[in-house]
Amino acid sequence: MRVMIDACVLYPTVMREVILGCAKQGLFEARWSPRILEEWARATRKLGPGAEEFARGEIDALRAEWPKSEVVPTDGVQQRLLLPDPDDVHVLAAAISGSADVIVTYNAADFPKATLAEEGLQRLDPDQLLRGLFDAKPDIVRGAAENVLAVARQLSGEDWEMRALMKKARLPSWRHAASNWWIVPFLSCYFCCEEGAPNAPCPKGRTSQAGYGVPMWTRTGSEPWTSRPPA
């Protein structure tokens, strides 16, 4: 799977590192364009003096580490495309030129699904991408997130918890990831009481969060069932 990553996803450090951590493990092929990287750099100007220079240093490092990820749109592709915001057409053009399967962005309104489907593309936000990857390869995605957590603790000198770090990264499905607790997307919900056993019908008769009508609750890991996950 090839994934075109929009500037709004590359710009936030924690989000970028978790997503690229998954790409490093072979879960997908990352793609971006020179203009996307330029938009990332310019977006940091609002952070104050020195921010853009620092961002451009990060971009140089990214280019060195991912030399095959940068895509220059093919001549003529951008001219035939229409989107609600003309300033976003370059992202779609790069995705088409790079044979991407998915565009990952927060700008849902600017990338109508019907328009993308005509080009054989799907639109996901970062949280949806990570939920899908976690559903397929939970250990790899968990490892990528834990690596980012370790770096955050080292660089900040603070004792970050996974839940707080993922909240800061605007990844709501990961806000519940704390103390080795992990939601299993679409298949189950975390339990709300101390009764029952792993993978047993919910003792309260509740259904899954996704509304599939499967009264299951589960946890990843081998620790004793002694405390409930965070709300």
Side-chain angles (χ1 to χ4, degrees), residues 201-212:
C202 173
K204 299 296 185 182
R206 294 187 172 93
T207 59
S208 70
Q209 285 184 312
Y212 277 56

Side-chain angles (χ1 to χ4, degrees), residues 6-214:
D6 201 1
C8 59
V9 179
L10 287 171
Y11 170 33
T13 301
V14 174
M15 183 187 302
R16 177 179 72 248
E17 292 303 317
V18 173
I19 289 175
L20 292 184
C22 294
K24 287 178 184 177
Q25 297 302 314
L27 296 188
F28 66 90
E29 296 179 23
R31 295 285 186 271
W32 45 74
S33 70
R35 183 168 172 180
I36 286 173
L37 297 181
E38 182 64 21
E39 287 187 351
W40 163 14
R42 293 180 180 182
T44 63
R45 291 175 180 175
K46 62 186 178 183
L47 300 179
E52 183 178 355
E53 182 181 358
F54 182 81
R56 291 190 183 280
E58 290 185 311
I59 290 169
D60 288 343
L62 187 78
R63 281 174 158 151
E65 186 174 2
W66 301 83
K68 297 181 180 180
S69 290
E70 195 162 335
V71 175
V72 177
T74 305
D75 290 342
V77 172
Q78 188 164 331
Q79 286 69 25
R80 70 173 178 80
L81 300 173
L82 291 174
L83 287 176
D85 186 348
D87 287 340
D88 286 321
V89 170
H90 72 94
V91 178
L92 178 55
I96 294 169
S97 300
S99 301
D101 304 292
V102 176
I103 293 176
V104 177
T105 182
Y106 275 118
N107 298 328
D110 294 332
F111 294 93
K113 288 190 174 182
T115 302
L116 299 190
E118 292 175 358
E119 304 292 344
L121 285 156
Q122 181 183 10
R123 185 197 73 229
L124 297 174
D125 66 37
D127 201 49
Q128 290 170 329
L129 174 67
L130 288 172
R131 287 205 319 256
L133 294 175
F134 182 80
D135 191 34
K137 298 288 184 179
D139 290 341
I140 293 177
V141 178
R142 185 185 304 113
E146 289 174 347
N147 287 340
V148 174
L149 176 63
V151 172
R153 287 171 171 171
Q154 179 182 8
L155 294 179
S156 68
E158 300 178 22
D159 189 20
W160 280 96
E161 295 296 333
M162 184 70 76
R163 177 181 170 89
L165 189 65
M166 294 302 108
K167 181 177 181 179
K168 179 180 176 65
R170 297 169 60 197
L171 297 170
S173 285
W174 306 94
R175 293 181 189 180
H176 301 285
S179 301
N180 297 322
W181 287 95
W182 293 85
I183 301 299
V184 180
F186 307 116
L187 297 179
S188 59
C189 63
Y190 54 76
F191 72 107
C192 58
C193 64
E194 305 296 336
E195 305 170 39
N199 297 321
C202 173
K204 299 296 185 182
R206 294 187 172 93
T207 59
S208 70
Q209 285 184 312
Y212 277 56
V214 182

